[in-house]
Amino acid sequence: MPVPKGSTIDPARTRAAILEAATPVLYERGLDGIGVAELCTRIGVSKETLYRHFGTKDGLVRAMLEERSERVTRWLADAVAAAGPDPARRLTAVFEALQQWYDDPVFRGCAMLNAAAQHHVEAVRAITARHLDRYLELLTGIADLAGAADPRALGRQLLMLVEGATVVAAHHDAADAGEHARQAALTLLSAASRGG
């Protein structure tokens, strides 16, 4: 990311640009699937610049995962909010959004779970846990709105459907994974809201 002659270096902008360029590369290749030298070449920065802004490749990975978690949970929360107040419609919106993601040619599964599987380090696992907690909070909110007797338990069941559908879509068959999970989720929601 050469800086044009006469322009001022903006560390925050440089950091954001590195993060934006590195995110798709790390997602496509996997966290351990690309070394620092090749990553720097692909994104057009020197190792020194990468290290100045992130400390290490692991620092870049943590920043990428945190930013991605924020973006993905905001995307799902926006889809849920746009669906209106009906809990079934909100739940449907979650799985419709996920299916659009699964159908994207660059889909490689959940970056958080991929990272946790690849990096057995506490920092990455903590980011993954926070990400799943955000999903759980969103899904528990839907369960609570539906009048479930135990919204947290139903939220966890729905989270398992979300993550299960994502794993199936990434490693088996993306076609209709979201739709199949949606049907199961609506069955759970209906049973829970009837008190069954």
Side-chain angles (χ1 to χ4, degrees):
M1 274 161 235
V3 177
K5 187 174 183 175
S7 64
T8 306
I9 295 175
D10 178 352
R13 191 175 78 210
T14 301
R15 180 181 167 84
I18 293 169
L19 198 53
E20 183 179 348
T23 295
V25 176
L26 291 169
Y27 181 62
E28 175 193 344
R29 294 282 297 273
L31 304 181
D32 297 329
I34 188 166
V36 173
E38 184 183 355
L39 177 64
C40 287
T41 299
R42 293 261 317 256
I43 66 176
V45 298
S46 68
K47 287 183 187 179
E48 293 78 17
T49 300
L50 180 99
Y51 293 147
R52 186 176 328 114
H53 290 281
F54 296 96
T56 62
K57 180 183 169 192
D58 284 343
L60 172 64
V61 165
R62 285 191 301 273
M64 181 270 296
L65 291 173
E66 288 168 351
E67 187 278 332
R68 188 173 181 107
S69 177
E70 289 292 328
R71 186 170 26 91
V72 169
T73 53
R74 189 172 46 249
W75 165 69
L76 275 181
D78 289 348
V80 166
D86 178 59
R89 184 64 204 128
R90 285 177 167 236
L91 195 54
T92 294
V94 168
F95 290 100
E96 286 175 348
L98 290 173
Q99 187 62 56
Q100 288 175 356
W101 180 40
Y102 303 159
D103 292 338
D104 189 325
V106 300
F107 173 71
R108 301 279 185 277
C110 175
M112 303 306 130
L113 295 183
N114 293 348
Q118 291 173 23
H119 270 34
H120 295 282
V121 295
E122 187 53 37
V124 170
R125 296 179 77 74
I127 293 167
T128 301
R130 282 193 306 272
H131 179 73
L132 293 176
D133 284 343
R134 289 178 180 137
Y135 273 16
L136 180 59
E137 182 180 331
L138 179 73
L139 297 167
T140 300
I142 294 171
D144 189 43
L145 187 62
D150 188 347
R152 181 119 175 122
L154 179 57
R156 275 187 64 80
Q157 292 167 347
L158 296 172
L159 176 63
M160 290 176 194
L161 286 171
V162 165
E163 291 306 322
T166 302
V167 168
V168 168
H171 300 287
H172 185 260
D173 184 6
D176 298 324
E179 174 57 20
H180 293 296
R182 181 191 72 81
Q183 290 173 12
L186 289 176
T187 299
L188 284 173
L189 187 71
S190 177
S193 62
R194 287 194 315 262

